Amino acid sequence: MKIRIKFAKSGNMKFIGHLDTMRYFQKAMRRAEIDIAYSTGFSPHQIMSFAAPLGVGITSDGEYLDIEVHSTGSTADAVAALNAAMVEGFQVLDYRELPDNAKTAMSIVSCADYTLTYREGYETDLTLEQLQEGVHAFYEVPEKLEVVKQTKKSEKIIDLKQLVYDFKVVEVEGKPAFYLKVSTGSTDNTKPELVMEHFYKYLGLELPDFTFQTHRHDVYTGTKETGFIALNDMGAVIP
């Protein structure tokens, strides 16, 4: 049986990297007595994969891992058991059964959305209205926004604008912030910080390192043309 788990990452856990997060969940599965399946061979390991691992320093309400189990209790019972094994900063939000033919979350991720807020001491002098006008003008420019992307083996030129599906200024606690929905996955993975870097260049401003605190809301599959679906919505609640 295939299971998709949604979890949140916050607080000090944002500084824990992907490999340590993976090891932590492997231990949490045993503590929560999840009947997880193991691979065969000389070195069996839990059948587990993560969708679009989060960068260090980023918080999230929409992280996913897929597992396979031999048997399972209800969604409510599994969430409660896993959260009893969680430390502060990790929270399991959902636990759903996937169809037998479902592909792994890792292989179908297409985009993710984020909010970027200014860290204390890095706030801009521009008003909410000025930033909104800047974002609108940024997209009104017809030219491509070509940037060089470093891959594992070489470099390639991409049109960054084509990989940004939504970009707007929002207000968080009375202060300007930015909402972005960008391409995510193994092919065209786009960091929201890269978009902000080029937006600031367009405004003629310098963007200091660590200006923003980034928070991921959710991860999606689908396309801009057909619509995006949150990975969680592909599974069914187990009664």
Side-chain angles (χ1 to χ4, degrees):
M1 185 183 300
K2 295 181 178 180
I3 300 291
R4 179 159 295 157
I5 297 170
K6 182 178 183 179
F7 67 96
K9 192 177 182 183
S10 62
N12 289 333
M13 290 302 104
K14 68 183 179 183
F15 299 115
I16 302 299
H18 171 59
L19 291 179
D20 286 327
T21 298
M22 181 176 66
R23 295 186 189 102
Y24 173 77
F25 271 92
Q26 289 171 345
K27 295 176 181 177
M29 293 296 160
R30 293 194 289 268
R31 288 197 295 268
E33 297 183 349
I34 300 297
D35 189 15
I36 191 167
Y38 283 74
S39 63
T40 58
F42 292 105
S43 181
H45 59 272
Q46 293 179 7
I47 299 176
M48 174 187 295
S49 64
F50 287 74
L54 202 62
V56 173
I58 301 176
T59 57
S60 176
D61 289 323
E63 297 306 289
Y64 293 91
L65 71 145
D66 290 348
I67 63 173
E68 291 187 19
V69 297
H70 297 295
S71 62
T72 184
S74 68
T75 290
D77 288 345
V79 169
L82 283 164
N83 278 329
M86 293 292 112
V87 296
E88 183 178 354
F90 281 124
Q91 181 185 7
V92 172
L93 304 174
D94 212 345
Y95 178 102
R96 297 195 180 191
E97 181 181 356
L98 296 172
D100 291 339
N101 61 352
K103 296 181 179 179
T104 63
M106 180 189 301
S107 66
I108 60 172
V109 166
S110 59
C111 78
D113 57 350
Y114 303 82
T115 293
L116 283 75
T117 54
Y118 286 97
R119 296 181 189 271
E120 186 175 352
Y122 288 87
E123 296 86 351
T124 179
D125 293 329
L126 298 176
T127 64
L128 186 72
E129 291 73 20
Q130 288 173 322
L131 290 171
Q132 288 172 333
E133 291 173 0
V135 168
H136 180 73
F138 180 66
Y139 267 98
E140 284 295 304
V141 176
E143 291 83 6
K144 294 180 179 180
L145 179 53
E146 293 185 337
V147 300
V148 177
K149 182 179 179 181
Q150 186 73 42
T151 65
K152 290 182 178 180
K153 296 182 179 179
S154 61
E155 295 179 345
K156 68 175 182 178
I157 297 176
I158 60 172
D159 179 8
L160 190 60
K161 284 187 179 179
Q162 296 300 315
L163 304 179
V164 180
Y165 305 128
D166 198 0
F167 183 22
K168 56 191 175 187
V169 182
V170 295
E171 195 170 357
V172 176
E173 297 181 353
K175 299 179 181 179
F178 298 90
Y179 172 84
L180 292 106
K181 180 175 281 189
V182 296
S183 176
T184 305
S186 57
T187 304
D188 291 313
N189 193 58
T190 305
K191 295 181 179 181
E193 294 83 3
L194 179 64
V195 180
M196 294 308 304
E197 177 186 337
H198 286 276
F199 174 61
Y200 261 60
K201 283 183 180 179
Y202 172 78
L203 296 178
L205 301 173
E206 182 179 350
L207 181 63
D209 293 337
F210 311 114
T211 293
F212 297 106
Q213 172 60 54
T214 303
H215 179 79
R216 181 190 276 175
H217 295 288
D218 218 326
V219 180
Y220 306 84
T221 187
T223 66
K224 188 176 181 180
E225 292 72 28
T226 61
F228 297 110
I229 303 171
L231 295 181
N232 199 47
D233 292 336
M234 302 180 70
V237 173
I238 305 169

